[in-house]
Amino acid sequence: MRGIVSCIRPNHRIRGNGLKRKTLLNGESGHLALMLVLSVATQCVALLKSTVTASAFGASMEMDAYNFSNNIILFLFSFLSSGITAVVIPAYVQKRPGEVTDSFLTFLYLLVFGGTGLIYLFREPLIGLLSNRDAAFRQAAADVMLYTIIIQGVTGILAVTTAYYQCANRYNTPKLILLGCNCLAVVLILLDKNLTIPRYLWFLSLAALINLVLDVGIAIKCGLRYRPTCRFRSPGFRQLLAIFLPCVFSTGVYRIHALVDSLIAASLGDGQ
């Protein structure tokens, strides 16, 4: 009888392990399916927003000014996103000391937001230097630059929370929040019967700020911690900086080409 029992027990264990693996696979399949649905839905909402924007403004001088201003700010924030992708995600995965990662993030934010602040303070002479368009275009580009800084700044901060969510296997959380905020922006744009570029950018900024509050709040609740730290002489920080510097050059080459294209487009007439 004992022999029979001993033969039966392993089978139960095997079945139990098989059920656990099936449950895990089903759970992973569900997460992947949800990720696919959220990605497709987000792209559809983005396409709807682009369609509404194109029908409302077309190839106007105001839209050219917004794109010109946005590309200038995006030039700086692209370095932030590349640094987070190449440095912060591996640092989270390798579970480096928090003060090392926090020091690198502090350095990165000081660099990018400090540069952005200088650009905003001297935006009018900078736009005049980079564009040969008339005064109306330069003034329009200067007026919308604050909105572009808010939108790109929120995106830069959310890159950190997105990296944290990826390392915590919560890929769908930022996608779900982004989808909801994009839907809110589209609804506000559609409801506005007298849509202008400043109101359009205000709606985008509002959706971005709501996205920031929800995303950061949930990330903190899940365990994300960040304290501004300036231990820039530590060996760990120097290691992260050594990883980041090659990304600066690779990203810089690409963004310089994109910025040059934007400057050439800005030198043409409206919508050309």
Side-chain angles (χ1 to χ4, degrees):
M1 190 68 181
R2 289 179 181 175
I4 295 174
V5 173
S6 64
C7 290
I8 292 175
R9 283 176 180 171
N11 290 333
H12 280 295
R13 290 176 184 173
I14 292 172
R15 289 177 184 175
N17 292 334
L19 289 173
K20 287 181 181 178
R21 289 175 184 173
K22 261 188 179 178
T23 304
L24 289 174
L25 288 175
N26 290 335
E28 291 178 359
S29 300
H31 286 304
L32 289 174
L34 179 59
M35 183 188 300
L36 179 61
V37 170
L38 291 175
S39 299
V40 172
T42 301
Q43 292 300 320
C44 291
V45 173
L47 179 61
L48 176 60
K49 185 176 68 174
S50 300
T51 303
V52 173
T53 303
S55 63
F57 304 113
S60 61
M61 181 271 291
E62 291 82 4
M63 185 55 66
D64 286 346
Y66 163 68
N67 290 328
F68 176 78
S69 179
N70 186 61
N71 282 322
I72 293 176
I73 301 302
L74 187 60
F75 176 76
L76 278 178
F77 280 98
S78 61
F79 294 104
L80 176 62
S81 60
S82 67
I84 290 172
T85 303
V87 178
V88 176
I89 292 180
Y92 282 153
V93 172
Q94 297 168 6
K95 296 182 178 180
R96 287 178 177 264
E99 60 184 16
V100 173
T101 308
D102 290 349
S103 295
F104 178 77
L105 286 174
T106 302
F107 168 78
L108 209 55
Y109 282 130
L110 286 174
L111 184 67
V112 173
F113 282 100
T116 304
L118 289 175
I119 288 177
Y120 182 73
L121 287 176
F122 300 100
R123 62 190 182 280
E124 293 184 1
L126 179 64
I127 292 172
L129 179 65
L130 297 177
S131 173
N132 59 359
R133 298 283 292 273
D134 56 13
F137 175 87
R138 295 196 296 269
Q139 187 61 46
D143 291 341
V144 302
M145 185 170 285
L146 180 60
Y147 293 107
T148 63
I149 291 174
I150 292 174
I151 296 170
Q152 295 299 335
V154 168
T155 304
I157 296 173
L158 292 182
V160 177
T161 59
T162 301
Y164 176 80
Y165 284 129
Q166 290 179 4
C167 298
N169 293 323
R170 298 178 64 95
Y171 302 95
N172 292 326
T173 300
K175 291 180 178 293
L176 184 61
I177 297 172
L178 177 62
L179 176 60
C181 293
N182 282 345
C183 289
L184 173 63
V186 170
V187 169
L188 292 174
I189 291 170
L190 289 174
L191 291 177
D192 194 330
K193 301 302 181 183
N194 299 312
L195 188 64
T196 61
I197 286 288
R199 291 178 66 82
Y200 167 76
L201 293 177
W202 164 245
F203 293 148
L204 294 186
S205 300
L206 177 63
L209 291 173
I210 294 174
N211 193 355
L212 175 67
V213 172
L214 293 176
D215 208 301
V216 173
I218 295 175
I220 291 175
K221 189 175 181 180
C222 293
L224 175 65
R225 297 292 181 269
Y226 166 72
R227 293 181 179 178
T229 308
C230 299
R231 300 193 62 180
F232 300 145
R233 296 183 179 181
S234 65
F237 171 79
R238 292 178 180 177
Q239 291 176 359
L240 296 183
L241 192 62
I243 299 172
F244 174 63
L245 288 178
C247 300
V248 171
F249 293 107
S250 60
T251 304
V253 170
Y254 170 75
R255 291 312 312 176
I256 286 174
H257 281 288
L259 185 61
V260 169
D261 291 340
S262 177
L263 296 179
I264 293 174
S267 65
L268 302 175
D270 296 347
Q272 297 184 8

